[in-house]
Amino acid sequence: MARGEDVGPDPDERAPIGNILRLLVILVVTALYAGYFITGDPWWGYESKWLTMRHWKSLIPVGGGGWFYDGTQKAYTESQLLRYDGTDPEKPILLAIDGTVYDVTEGRRIYGPGGGYHQFAGRDAARAYVTGCFKIHLTHDVRGLTEEEMKSLTKWKDFYANHEKYRKVGTVYHPPIHPSTPIPPPCDSKGDPIIQPQSGPHLPPAASDKSSGEL
């Protein structure tokens, strides 16, 4: 070897790292193949939105500020969102909560026609999530909610944001609420409005935290 020539790392010193990486790759591939042949699923039945190509496509930006999501991720108007209420089986089912739109097509049994929560499909019914007033609170208007109700709404927003099957697909635009518009009144056990004799804004009673329910 000539004097002053750089001496590279000894091949024997690099071998352990290479062997470890190869072993890890072999173990991962073996586990995937075993899962496929034993359970029919390389992930051994584990379900997560992070394992779906559809979810990753929704995170990839493309030219013009758009997104991959069956063509686009966009800002919907209220009338546009209503087209995805599940009545058309050829369209996905969308709902919004506090301005954020989610695709809940995987829950068609629940959000589709006849489902227990069909009233949430195709609209932003943020208020009803925490008050339980499904007749008169199917609105995005959250004025007058208590601090505890707002915390409950945050839990519902986290529920959809972190759900393994539902995914964000855009936002919904709501026209500004005029200050003179009355705050939705509270409801009774049947969901009908409670008419209060005093004038002025009606503040709903503190609602129980329904964030633990499963949709």
Side-chain angles (χ1 to χ4, degrees), residues 59-92:
L59 302 178
I60 302 175
V62 296
W67 294 80
F68 280 115
Y69 159 67
D70 296 337
T72 184
Q73 174 166 127
K74 65 178 184 180
Y76 296 83
T77 64
E78 292 177 342
S79 60
Q80 288 173 332
L81 184 62
L82 189 58
R83 301 172 189 170
Y84 301 93
D85 64 351
T87 55
D88 186 344
E90 300 299 321
K91 294 180 179 179

Side-chain angles (χ1 to χ4, degrees), residues 125-179:
R127 190 181 195 92
Y129 279 96
V130 296
T131 65
C133 299
F134 297 151
K135 291 184 179 180
I136 60 174
H137 285 182
L138 295 176
T139 173
H140 67 284
D141 186 355
V142 295
R143 295 175 303 154
L145 293 183
T146 66
E147 181 178 352
E148 287 303 312
E149 287 172 328
M150 292 303 296
K151 290 180 179 179
S152 180
L153 179 60
T154 297
K155 292 180 180 179
W156 275 114
K157 291 161 65 175
D158 291 342
F159 168 81
Y160 285 104
N162 299 318
H163 200 281
E164 62 183 20
K165 294 183 179 180
Y166 307 151
R167 64 189 186 284
K168 177 184 175 183
V169 296
T171 57
V172 59
Y173 169 75
H174 298 297
I177 300 175
H178 194 277

Side-chain angles (χ1 to χ4, degrees), residues 178-209:
H178 194 277
S180 63
T181 302
I183 293 175
C187 68
D188 58 22
S189 59
K190 297 181 180 180
D192 297 319
I194 297 176
I195 306 301
Q196 299 182 354
Q198 69 271 22
S199 60
H202 296 289
L203 298 181
S208 60
D209 185 357

Side-chain angles (χ1 to χ4, degrees), residues 112-130:
Y117 294 93
H118 176 57
Q119 63 267 31
F120 288 104
R123 69 176 79 228
D124 186 341
R127 190 181 195 92
Y129 279 96
V130 296

